[in-house]
Amino acid sequence: MENLQQIYKQAAQMTYKGQVATYIPALAVNDPNAFAVSMMSAEDSIELGECATMFTLQSVVKVISFMVATNHHGIEEIMHYVDVEPTGDSFNSIVRLESNNNKPFNPMINAGAITIASLLPGRTMYDKVKSVTLFLEQILGKQVHINNEVYFSEYHSADYNRAISYILQANGFLKSDVEEALQVYLQLCSISVNVSDLAKIAFYFATNGKNSEAHCSIEVINIAKALMLTCGMYNFSGKFAAFVGLPAKSGVSGAIIAIVKQGEIEHLQGPIGIGLYGPAIDKVGNSVAGIEFLTQLSKQYELFCL
Ligand code: DON
């Protein structure tokens, strides 16, 4: 454990290099020095730092909503609406919406995630949000809630996302109206969790959803993991795959999930789910301490999966 504590300590010292997201006012109040890690295997778990702190999922939810929508419509239908190609652009970029036949490049960037939000099962906005929270509740075995303060704060600073939504609608890539897609998307970003919940979500992927109440076809889970590996860490995804080598997804709240299909971290063995929370993020949008921790962890415990 000493080695692990050391990696944690060194990563925690890096938070000064990042800043909490300020473009959503309700996120700007988070403690920039916070850093917590939770890791779980089938038998045991390890927690480092203050693991009870609640925060919002932000873009980590994009993987879950992709799975719910794709489970419902099937892969072929979803591929008519959103591709699975990385962009190398920032998460809210608008530039590529006029290339690739105007189809959003992947569901991990905002354009693709807003399209996916419009495709979620259910007649009303409420039903669509519920389809994702229900799936999450089945993974976590507990109820989840939306942080309304973050949601309203996002809603009132959503100029880029609104612009993206109108372009998607103009090109036929929204299945609901703009306002509904946008509100569903932003509510999903505002789901409140802690770092142990993140570890559980990651463990779900590490075990391909085996023995979970949350049913999803293996083909869809495989695509979700491929998307995390190629597009999960924003425009740092290539470097993350090259130097850390784990499927992972981050959010601007400083949340990250990382998936270890097979590994050994101290007394944890087999499939391992890792959840991290460090709200000081870098320019790209990834938790500075989280990236540092995962880089060292992968190196020292030989977790590189490719
Ligand atoms: O779209 C937004 O601005 C946020 N609610 C989600 C941000 C996030 O985590 C980055 N997305 N890829």
Side-chain angles (χ1 to χ4, degrees):
M1 276 299 272
E2 215 174 280
N3 189 28
L4 197 57
Q5 296 279 9
Q6 192 60 24
I7 298 175
Y8 170 78
K9 237 164 122 185
Q10 275 174 5
Q13 282 165 5
M14 293 294 171
T15 54
Y16 78 93
K17 289 193 177 168
Q19 278 189 331
V20 294
T22 49
Y23 79 102
I24 302 167
L27 292 184
V29 297
N30 289 332
D31 172 11
N33 297 317
F35 182 48
V37 181
S38 175
M39 302 192 253
M40 87 173 256
S41 68
E43 323 259 87
D44 220 331
S45 62
I46 296 176
E47 305 219 312
L48 302 160
E50 179 47 66
C51 289
T53 308
M54 300 299 285
F55 49 86
T56 51
L57 270 178
Q58 295 300 334
S59 286
V60 175
V61 83
K62 289 174 168 139
V63 204
I64 311 288
S65 24
F66 166 76
M67 288 200 302
V68 173
T70 311
N71 248 339
H72 180 76
H73 292 282
I75 295 168
E76 209 184 313
E77 173 76 4
I78 288 290
M79 291 284 295
H80 288 303
Y81 283 91
V82 58
D83 217 329
V84 288
E85 292 299 338
T87 65
D89 301 326
S90 64
F91 61 86
N92 59 359
S93 177
I94 218 156
V95 292
R96 281 181 210 255
L97 280 175
E98 287 192 338
S99 56
N100 198 30
N101 293 321
N102 305 331
K103 192 198 275 191
F105 269 67
N106 69 70
M108 302 293 110
I109 51 168
N110 291 9
I114 293 168
T115 290
I116 289 289
S118 79
L119 285 158
L120 285 167
R123 222 171 30 83
T124 63
M125 185 188 310
Y126 174 84
D127 295 338
K128 289 189 163 102
V129 173
K130 195 77 197 151
S131 71
V132 175
T133 53
L134 211 65
F135 192 81
L136 254 180
E137 285 171 352
Q138 285 166 337
I139 293 179
L140 299 177
K142 68 169 200 186
Q143 272 207 305
V144 296
H145 302 281
I146 289 167
N147 180 330
N148 279 319
E149 193 198 340
V150 173
Y151 168 59
F152 288 120
S153 185
E154 293 232 30
Y155 184 75
H156 292 295
S157 46
D159 294 344
Y160 256 87
N161 285 329
R162 184 165 278 110
I164 289 171
S165 305
Y166 274 106
I167 297 175
L168 289 169
Q169 172 171 265
N171 293 328
F173 288 98
L174 277 194
K175 211 165 177 174
S176 67
D177 64 44
V178 162
E179 226 16 65
E180 180 173 306
L182 189 64
Q183 288 184 30
V184 169
Y185 167 73
L186 294 177
Q187 284 183 40
L188 295 177
C189 288
S190 307
I191 294 171
S192 193
V193 291
N194 61 35
V195 84
S196 311
D197 298 331
L198 290 185
K200 266 194 200 151
I201 298 172
F203 185 72
Y204 176 88
F205 288 107
T207 53
N208 288 334
K210 222 162 120 194
N211 300 327
S212 172
E213 299 261 292
H215 298 294
C216 183
S217 78
I218 184 67
E219 289 80 12
V220 173
I221 293 182
N222 283 342
I223 298 175
K225 286 187 295 187
L227 283 168
M228 285 193 262
L229 187 71
T230 54
C231 325
M233 303 299 284
Y234 310 126
N235 33 332
F236 187 71
S237 300
K239 290 189 191 65
F240 192 85
F243 299 112
V244 182
L246 297 172
K249 182 75 199 91
S250 62
V252 289
S253 53
I256 305 181
I257 56 171
I259 290 115
V260 178
K261 205 162 179 336
Q262 204 54 241
E264 217 175 305
I265 305 172
E266 300 296 327
H267 55 280
L268 304 185
Q269 276 181 355
I272 300 170
I274 309 177
L276 305 97
Y277 172 63
I281 57 174
D282 58 23
K283 286 205 169 69
V284 171
N286 294 317
S287 166
V288 174
I291 296 280
E292 176 64 21
F293 182 88
L294 288 169
T295 307
Q296 291 310 322
L297 189 78
S298 175
K299 204 183 274 173
Q300 295 190 34
Y301 292 87
E302 296 177 11
L303 303 175
F304 199 97
C305 80
L306 308 171

